[in-house]
């Protein structure tokens, strides 16, 4: 007989084998209960003294919480039990005994702080809620792939050991590379543009991103999963925003369809976006000012402003998302294209979901001389970035793209307080373990 998952069992399943972890153990004089947990749910194992062998009845006393057991038993209808059935065992195999006490309470009875949970993450991940969270993350990952695949984008994997980046140098982690200096990749920016110039035209990458930022916020990590895409022959940045809109619609509708049961554990209602408002940042500053939040001309939106903006667009446009467009050149990297008649602006945008930035994108400057001049304005010498500069010298179409944080997508989708809950083993300025 093969082991069955708890979710596959019905009250008339007859004889079954189930296996998993001992979630609860209740021992009374004449009856003993085990709540067994596997990746699909919980089931009650009941041992009435009169119905099981003495040997088996006594064996249960040696079990501890979180031990792994295999139960061979008979399913019985039981209205009062959690799934409408319980299992009376004929045999139980103790596969792996857990030491007691367990260093982290995962019963949900005692609330553990996030730091302890992360210290004992493999135990923390055993909860059904975390199981659901990572199923949703896994399905999100798949939805991204399905979406880009359906549009005939090519999946790329670019180097994570690099000689330099094009974003801010302050964010680079330096590593020793034999007798040279190297850096962990802070963005696939150079390479995704390179692959457009290589003739792939439409590329995407889901991969690790490293940022040496000493930020202690609920939305920053030093290592996260980036979802990047880049495409050639665009009309302007609006082509990129159109693709993003389609991606979000696809992700959210897939999760709603495929993770209905899992979503219930998070008490969130996912709304598939229709048309996401695209509002110039200058307009947004005015909207914020009307609500008493002043953002000076050349400043970025801070966390408070993003949150307030989230509320404003919800109220005004009934949208959880908003594209903040046309950022000033002073606030953007040198490679963002400037609009024809606005030398202070850029063809760029940020995407904000329920008050938090989840993506940054733009049309890139593909005309070498203009790019070089823009670099100069920002103190970037393109001649010193030979590999990047070369992309634009031998035939490069107009192009644009965006970078998302997958962890932020999951955080916003499930309304998680801290981004660290959205990935398995987070890294921050202090945390390097487990
Ligand atoms: P940017 O630096 O804005 O843009 O990063 C893109 C997106 O990545 C996520 N993100 C982070 N997530 C967690 N922790 C962090 N420390 C962190 N930093 C960034 C955010 C952010 O919106 N090359 C450009 C993208 C492009 O133009 O295509 C870039 O990297 O969700």
């Amino acid at each position: 007989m093969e082991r069955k998952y708890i979710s596959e069992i019905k009250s008339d399943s007859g004889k079954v084998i189930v296996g998993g972890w001992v979630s609860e153990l209740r021992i009374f004089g004449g009856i003993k209960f085990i709540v067994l947990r596997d990746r699909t749910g919980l089931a009650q194992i009941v041992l009435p003294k009169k119905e099981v062998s003495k040997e088996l009845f006594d064996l249960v006393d040696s079990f501890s919480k979180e031990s792994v057991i295999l139960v061979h038993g008979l399913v019985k209808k039981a209205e009062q039990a959690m799934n409408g059935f319980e299992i009376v065992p004929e045999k139980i195999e103790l596969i792996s005994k857990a030491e007691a006490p367990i260093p982290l309470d995962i019963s949900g009875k005692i609330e553990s702080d996030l730091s302890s949970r992360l210290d004992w993450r493999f135990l923390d991940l055993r909860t059904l809620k975390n199981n659901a969270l990572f199923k949703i993350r896994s399905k999100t990952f798949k939805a991204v792939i399905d979406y880009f695949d359906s549009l005939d984008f090519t999946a790329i994997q670019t180097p994570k050991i690099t000689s330099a980046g094009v974003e801010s140098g302050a964010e680079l982690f330096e590593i020793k590379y034999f007798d040279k200096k190297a850096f962990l990749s802070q963005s696939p920016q150079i390479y995704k543009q390179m692959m457009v110039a290589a003739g792939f035209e439409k590329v995407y990458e889901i991969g690790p991103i490293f940022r040496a930022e000493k930020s202690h916020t609920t939305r920053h990590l030093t290592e996260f999963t980036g979802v990047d895409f880049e495409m050639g022959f665009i009309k302007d940045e609006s082509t990129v925003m159109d693709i993003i809109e389609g991606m979000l619609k696809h992700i959210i509708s897939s999760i709603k369809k495929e993770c209905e049961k899992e979503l219930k554990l998070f008490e969130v209602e996912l709304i598939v976006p229709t048309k996401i408002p695209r509002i110039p940042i200058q307009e947004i500053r005015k909207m914020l000012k009307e609500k008493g939040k002043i953002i000076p001309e050349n400043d970025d939106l801070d966390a408070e402003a993003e949150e307030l903006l989230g509320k404003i667009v919800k109220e005004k446009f009934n949208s959880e998302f908003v594209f903040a467009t046309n950022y000033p050149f002073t606030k953007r990297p040198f490679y963002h294209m400037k609009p024809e008649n606005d030398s202070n602006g850029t063809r760029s945008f940020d995407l904000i979901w329920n008050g938090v930035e989840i993506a940054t994108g733009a049309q890139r400057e593909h005309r070498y001389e203009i790019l070089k001049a823009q670099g100069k304005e920002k103190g970037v010498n393109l001649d010193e970035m030979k590999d990047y500069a070369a992309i634009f010298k031998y035939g490069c179409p107009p192009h644009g793209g965006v970078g998302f944080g997958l962890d932020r997508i999951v955080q916003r989708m499930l309304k998680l307080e801290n981004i660290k809950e959205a990935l398995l083993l987070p890294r921050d300025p202090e945390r390097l373990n487990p």
Side-chain angles (χ1 to χ4, degrees):
M1 210 188 332
E2 292 228 334
R3 174 185 164 222
K4 272 199 161 70
Y5 282 125
I6 289 169
S7 64
E8 295 173 307
I9 296 175
K10 308 261 172 332
S11 54
D12 61 357
S13 289
K15 280 195 174 183
V16 293
I17 301 176
V18 284
W21 287 260
V22 174
S23 181
E24 278 179 56
L25 201 56
R26 281 183 238 123
I27 297 183
F28 304 105
I31 193 159
K32 293 175 184 173
F33 295 98
I34 299 167
V35 177
L36 184 77
R37 184 188 67 244
D38 71 13
R39 63 187 290 237
T40 68
L42 302 169
Q44 179 160 286
I45 315 294
V46 58
L47 294 97
K49 196 171 184 173
K50 287 185 194 142
E51 287 181 43
V52 298
S53 71
K54 179 172 182 322
E55 198 188 356
L56 180 56
F57 195 74
D58 293 345
L59 178 74
V60 171
D61 295 343
S62 68
F63 291 1
S64 53
K65 269 191 173 184
E66 294 305 315
S67 292
V68 175
I69 59 170
L70 207 56
V71 180
H72 305 243
L74 186 67
V75 181
K76 289 197 170 164
K77 204 174 168 152
E79 302 291 347
Q80 80 286 0
M82 48 194 71
N83 320 312
F85 68 80
E86 55 190 16
I87 300 170
V88 181
E90 283 167 7
K91 185 172 105 181
I92 301 181
E93 294 173 62
L94 178 59
I95 307 283
S96 168
K97 187 170 172 171
E99 282 182 26
I102 320 156
L104 184 80
D105 184 276
I106 56 169
S107 66
K109 285 175 192 144
I110 304 167
E111 197 162 328
S112 307
D113 63 88
L114 185 59
S115 178
S116 316
R117 285 176 49 202
L118 294 176
D119 286 343
W120 292 100
R121 190 60 160 159
F122 80 97
L123 294 175
D124 180 51
L125 292 172
R126 285 184 187 173
T127 63
L128 290 177
K129 192 166 179 183
N130 266 333
N131 234 283
L133 193 159
F134 285 93
K135 178 170 173 192
I136 293 169
R137 184 177 162 120
S138 170
K139 292 286 182 190
T140 303
F141 192 86
K142 177 179 168 283
V144 172
I145 295 173
D146 287 346
Y147 177 70
F148 286 114
D149 197 53
S150 75
L151 295 181
D152 205 21
F153 274 68
T154 303
I156 57 170
Q157 294 83 36
T158 63
K160 302 306 159 206
I161 302 177
T162 61
S163 59
V166 288
E167 315 292 323
S168 135
E171 291 175 350
L172 290 167
F173 277 115
E174 195 178 310
I175 55 167
K176 206 165 126 16
Y177 191 71
F178 305 108
D179 55 352
K180 288 198 192 85
K181 221 195 249 183
F183 304 95
L184 293 178
S185 170
Q186 75 196 138
S187 161
Q189 188 63 40
I190 293 178
Y191 300 117
K192 59 180 182 170
Q193 289 188 255
M194 189 184 276
M195 294 315 136
V196 171
F200 291 128
E201 290 192 30
K202 300 194 281 187
V203 295
Y204 75 101
E205 174 161 13
I206 308 175
I209 291 192
F210 305 92
R211 301 271 169 108
E213 282 180 281
K214 278 217 159 157
S215 306
H216 296 89
T217 73
T218 53
R219 53 165 89 177
H220 285 94
L221 299 159
T222 50
E223 176 179 353
F224 64 94
T225 300
V227 175
D228 275 82
F229 78 77
E230 200 71 26
M231 57 196 296
F233 296 97
I234 58 172
K235 183 172 131 269
D236 53 33
E237 72 278 24
S238 66
T239 314
V240 180
M241 288 189 270
D242 292 344
I243 299 285
I244 293 172
E245 230 167 58
M247 176 184 125
L248 292 168
K249 279 181 197 170
H250 181 71
I251 293 177
I252 296 174
S253 54
S254 304
I255 297 299
K256 278 183 83 135
K257 201 159 70 199
E258 294 184 46
C259 300
E260 208 184 330
K261 189 178 104 201
E262 288 75 16
L263 281 173
K264 282 200 184 111
L265 297 176
F266 291 88
E267 292 162 15
V268 290
E269 198 211 334
L270 291 186
I271 302 164
V272 181
T274 45
K275 190 85 194 128
I276 300 177
R278 301 171 185 189
I279 313 176
I281 189 74
Q282 299 75 3
E283 199 64 39
I284 287 174
R285 284 203 185 90
K286 283 185 204 149
M287 289 160 78
L288 291 168
K289 197 172 165 196
E290 277 169 25
K291 298 271 175 190
K293 174 82 188 168
I294 296 177
I295 299 287
E297 193 61 20
N298 278 331
D299 280 10
D300 261 337
L301 302 183
D302 56 24
E304 194 189 21
E306 283 180 4
E307 202 181 322
L308 182 59
L309 177 62
K311 286 186 186 139
I312 296 172
V313 292
K314 180 83 199 158
E315 219 175 86
K316 225 173 159 160
F317 304 99
N318 193 25
S319 174
E320 293 189 342
F321 294 90
V322 58
F323 284 112
T325 65
N326 301 86
Y327 274 81
F329 185 66
T330 50
K331 285 288 143 197
R332 294 313 234 202
F334 75 97
Y335 59 81
H336 282 194
M337 185 183 267
K338 294 181 180 184
E340 286 293 277
N341 308 315
D342 178 11
S343 61
N344 296 322
T346 51
R347 294 196 165 282
S348 70
F349 57 83
D350 272 4
L351 174 63
I352 291 156
W353 186 3
N354 281 328
V356 173
E357 175 209 312
I358 57 161
T360 297
Q363 174 163 11
R364 326 300 184 182
E365 183 49 70
H366 64 284
R367 296 160 296 184
Y368 180 70
E369 291 305 330
I370 300 176
L371 184 64
K372 194 170 163 174
Q374 287 192 188
K376 215 167 175 185
E377 269 189 74
K378 293 228 173 228
V380 175
N381 186 354
L382 210 54
D383 293 330
E384 284 171 11
M385 304 172 73
K386 288 204 162 41
D387 294 332
Y388 188 58
I391 302 172
F392 309 97
K393 288 186 183 172
Y394 305 101
C396 182
H399 63 280
V402 70
F404 277 88
L406 179 68
D407 319 272
R408 283 209 191 161
I409 296 179
V410 175
Q411 182 190 13
R412 297 326 291 162
M413 183 151 56
L414 301 179
K415 298 208 163 75
L416 306 175
E417 222 167 274
N418 198 314
I419 194 168
K420 289 175 202 163
E421 295 181 65
L423 69 165
L424 293 174
L425 300 161
R427 296 286 180 254
D428 65 26
E430 276 73 44
R431 182 174 289 280
L432 205 48
N433 295 98

